[in-house]
Amino acid sequence: MIKFLDLAAQYQSLKPEIDAAIAEIIEGSAFIGGKAVKQFETEFAAYQNAAHCIGVGNGTDAIEIIIEALDLPVGSEIIVPANSFIATSEAVTRAGHRVVFADVDPVTYTLTIDTIMPAVTERTGAILAVHLYGYPVPLAPIVEFARVRGIRVIEDSAQAHGAEIAGQRIGAIGDAGSFSFYPGKNLGAYGDGGAIVTNDTALAERCRMISNHGRLQKYDHLFEGRNSRLDGLQAAVLLAKLPHLDDWIAQRNAVAQVYLEGLRDLNGIVLPALPDDGRHAFHLFVIRSEQRDQLQAFLADREIQTGIHYPIALPKLRAYDYLGMGDAYFFANRTDATLLSLPIGEHLTVEDASVVVEAVRAFALIDA
């Protein structure tokens, strides 16, 4: 069996560190706040080259809190890519603003300055750029465009811990970035967890207050906030894992390289691109095939697990019928039925990747 994800194997590889970290939290009863949370916020900020990190309850909360902290006019339009998980867009609506979908680039699957332009109006308050699959969005032209017009830039970095573009770690290139530590992420907790990073000190303080009942000191509440804090157990697990993240990303890139070299000459398979000037985090390795469902079944018969990210483009979800963009001539709308995620992760060897390559090639021969 070639697993899509193997968190049990990861745990076994770090068992002494993880067990000791969890035991320390339990013995110290530091379940909410405490040393582990502060230390993780400091170390993760340094890792992402950001001035500030605020641990929160999950990645969706991180986006909502950033939007609230930006204090945009009620009903502002926020541009969201048409291909992402619904957390990206639902955070906009739940924060009291209007989702405006923009298409994604057919090579990078992310927003670009060209895909954003048709969605910009006088009511645009922010652009929510998603580093989808771990591909770092080419942010420089987007940030330059936005700052001239007073538009804020939020980076949804849930799939891109450690990704880089033009010599910068993603997350704090725009106004602020959100991270998810959902267990299956490149850096995953043992439950829900999330973080906000930013270089804006005032914005960081506002985010921290919103996430902690509108306060900085116990019982001194300046406004009504919410309860969304990274807990001590999750922070301890993340602290134990963080030193290994670069090695894990390197292994993901090694597996990706096997796929890219082994599948590049196959007709009917569209491979993901590598950034010209950056590091792909390869949270997911997503190919396109018009025979997607048949290929997935063929691989399953050979005990190769796969996934689909995402099976329905956001504008086509019933949740967004009210926007009437399900029929928009978007690349994302036209290709969602062709997307297939091959297994990738530090649990795989290059030999495992070669097995996957041979299986995909065998399918192509049948289909030829």
Side-chain angles (χ1 to χ4, degrees):
M1 168 72 74
I2 294 183
K3 295 183 177 181
F4 190 76
L5 178 68
D6 194 344
L7 295 179
Q10 186 192 69
Y11 169 64
Q12 289 301 323
S13 73
L14 301 176
K15 189 173 188 300
E17 299 155 72
I18 296 287
D19 289 355
I22 291 174
E24 183 174 344
I25 296 297
I26 296 172
E27 289 168 4
S29 300
F31 300 113
I32 303 295
K35 183 176 70 175
V37 174
K38 290 181 180 177
Q39 185 179 348
F40 175 73
E41 289 179 340
T42 298
E43 294 190 13
F44 192 65
Y47 180 81
Q48 292 296 150
N49 297 334
H52 307 280
C53 171
I54 302 98
V56 297
N58 56 70
T60 310
D61 280 3
I63 302 173
E64 286 189 31
I65 290 168
I66 292 170
I67 294 173
E68 183 177 347
L70 289 175
D71 199 23
L72 301 171
V74 174
S76 292
E77 294 180 353
I78 297 182
I79 296 173
V80 174
N83 183 20
S84 184
F85 182 58
I86 193 172
T88 310
S89 49
E90 72 181 353
V92 171
T93 309
R94 296 192 67 80
H97 301 291
R98 181 174 177 83
V99 173
V100 176
F101 289 119
D103 204 1
V104 296
D105 181 81
V107 175
T108 66
Y109 301 104
T110 69
L111 294 179
T112 68
I113 189 66
D114 292 333
T115 67
I116 287 169
M117 292 305 293
V120 175
T121 74
E122 293 180 349
R123 296 180 296 280
T124 302
I127 298 166
L128 218 171
V130 180
H131 302 289
L132 193 69
Y133 308 149
Y135 189 99
V137 177
L139 279 169
I142 296 173
V143 170
E144 181 180 359
F145 168 83
R147 289 201 170 141
V148 169
R149 291 158 181 79
I151 297 171
R152 313 305 289 268
V153 176
I154 305 164
E155 299 175 53
D156 181 343
S157 313
Q159 300 183 353
H161 317 67
E164 299 173 1
I165 190 73
Q168 290 181 279
R169 288 272 165 89
I170 56 85
I173 300 173
D175 290 282
S178 62
F179 286 85
S180 167
F181 303 123
Y182 183 79
K185 293 294 195 289
N186 288 14
L187 180 65
Y190 283 178
D192 268 325
I196 296 164
V197 299
T198 181
N199 289 322
D200 184 327
T201 299
L203 184 62
E205 182 171 282
R206 178 83 175 167
C207 288
R208 188 174 295 283
M209 293 177 73
I210 292 170
S211 69
N212 192 19
H213 300 292
R215 65 183 174 184
L216 289 174
Q217 302 296 328
K218 195 169 186 179
Y219 300 127
D220 185 11
H221 306 268
L222 273 67
F223 55 85
E224 292 179 332
R226 66 165 70 187
N227 178 0
S228 181
R229 300 170 297 209
L230 182 67
D231 68 62
L233 284 169
Q234 304 310 331
V237 169
L238 293 167
L239 271 171
K241 288 187 175 187
L242 185 57
H244 303 277
L245 180 56
D246 280 330
D247 288 342
W248 293 342
I249 293 173
Q251 184 60 21
R252 287 174 178 271
N253 273 271
V255 170
Q257 198 58 43
V258 174
Y259 290 158
L260 291 170
E261 292 178 3
L263 302 174
R264 63 184 175 184
D265 61 338
L266 283 187
N267 291 327
I269 299 290
V270 180
L271 297 173
L274 295 173
D276 292 333
D277 185 18
R279 176 168 77 162
H280 202 313
F282 272 116
H283 175 60
L284 296 168
F285 189 97
V286 178
I287 65 173
R288 299 203 313 270
S289 168
E290 295 295 334
Q291 306 298 318
R292 189 269 308 278
D293 294 342
Q294 297 91 326
L295 174 56
Q296 185 175 41
F298 185 87
L299 294 177
D301 286 344
R302 283 150 185 78
E303 297 192 321
I304 297 173
Q305 296 180 341
T306 58
I308 298 175
H309 303 87
Y310 295 91
I312 306 173
L314 288 177
K316 294 163 67 175
L317 291 174
R318 283 182 289 174
Y320 298 108
D321 280 349
Y322 71 96
L323 292 176
M325 298 185 73
D327 295 328
Y329 193 69
F330 281 175
F331 167 82
N333 283 348
R334 302 194 308 273
T335 57
D336 54 0
T338 69
L339 301 171
L340 182 67
S341 303
L342 299 182
I344 195 164
E346 75 280 355
H347 66 291
L348 296 178
T349 65
V350 293
E351 289 76 18
D352 293 328
S354 295
V355 172
V356 177
V357 166
E358 290 308 311
V360 175
R361 295 189 71 86
F363 174 81
L365 287 174
I366 295 170
D367 191 50

